[in-house]
Amino acid sequence: VQLQASGGGLVQAGGSLRLSCAASGSFVIIGTMSWYRQAPGKQRELVAAIASGGNTNYADSVKGRFTISRDNAEKMVYPQMNSLEPEDTAVYYCNAEWKRPYVRGAFDAWGQGTQVTVSS
C-alpha cells in the first residue's frame, strides 16, 4: 500500500486547510486511517484517526477545530482543519493500517508528509 498526501500550504491564523491522502494497492483491506504531525524539535503526535466503520479519535489540541472523514470506496481520508493556530504548524503525515484478505498480520503505511504553516 502506498499513501499520497496533498493539501498542505501556508495559511493565516484562523484560516482553514483541507488535507487529503489517497491509498493505493490492490486486494488490500484498509483499516484505521490517521493523520500525525511533527513540528520542529518535537515528537510525532497523533492528530486524528478514523476507523473503517467511522469511529473517530482526536488529539485534545484539535478537538472542535479539525474533522476527519474518509471515503472507503476511494480509499481516501480527509482532515478538515479550521481555526488554524500557529501551533498547528508542522509536517503532517497520513497513516493507514492495512492487511491482505485471508492473510494473517497487519501493516502500517505512511505518506510522504505535507507541510502546514500557520502564520500569526
Side-chain angles (χ1 to χ4, degrees), residues 15 29-30 36 48-49 52-53 56-57 61-62 65 70 84 88 97 100 109-110 112 116:
I29 299 171
I30 304 294
Y36 288 75
S52 56
T56 57
N57 182 38
S61 59
V62 307
R65 300 188 297 121
R70 65 187 284 168
L84 284 161
D88 295 316
E97 298 173 353
R100 294 203 182 278
W110 289 90
Q112 81 280 16
V116 171

Side-chain angles (χ1 to χ4, degrees), residues 4-28:
Q4 181 67 43
S6 60
L10 173 64
V11 64
Q12 287 189 329
S16 298
L17 277 176
R18 188 185 192 225
L19 306 181
S20 64
C21 178
S24 61
S26 301
F27 306 110
V28 296

Side-chain angles (χ1 to χ4, degrees), residues 27-50:
F27 306 110
V28 296
I29 299 171
I30 304 294
T32 297
M33 301 185 81
S34 309
W35 282 87
Y36 288 75
R37 66 186 180 188
Q38 187 166 19
K42 294 188 176 181
Q43 289 190 328
R44 190 174 295 190
E45 63 173 355
L46 175 68
V47 176
I50 183 166

Side-chain angles (χ1 to χ4, degrees), residues 73-95:
E74 297 296 327
K75 291 186 271 191
M76 295 192 70
V77 62
Y78 309 95
Q80 175 67 43
M81 307 186 297
N82 298 326
S83 302
L84 284 161
E85 303 168 352
E87 293 74 23
D88 295 316
T89 296
V91 178
Y92 284 69
Y93 298 90
C94 62
N95 169 274

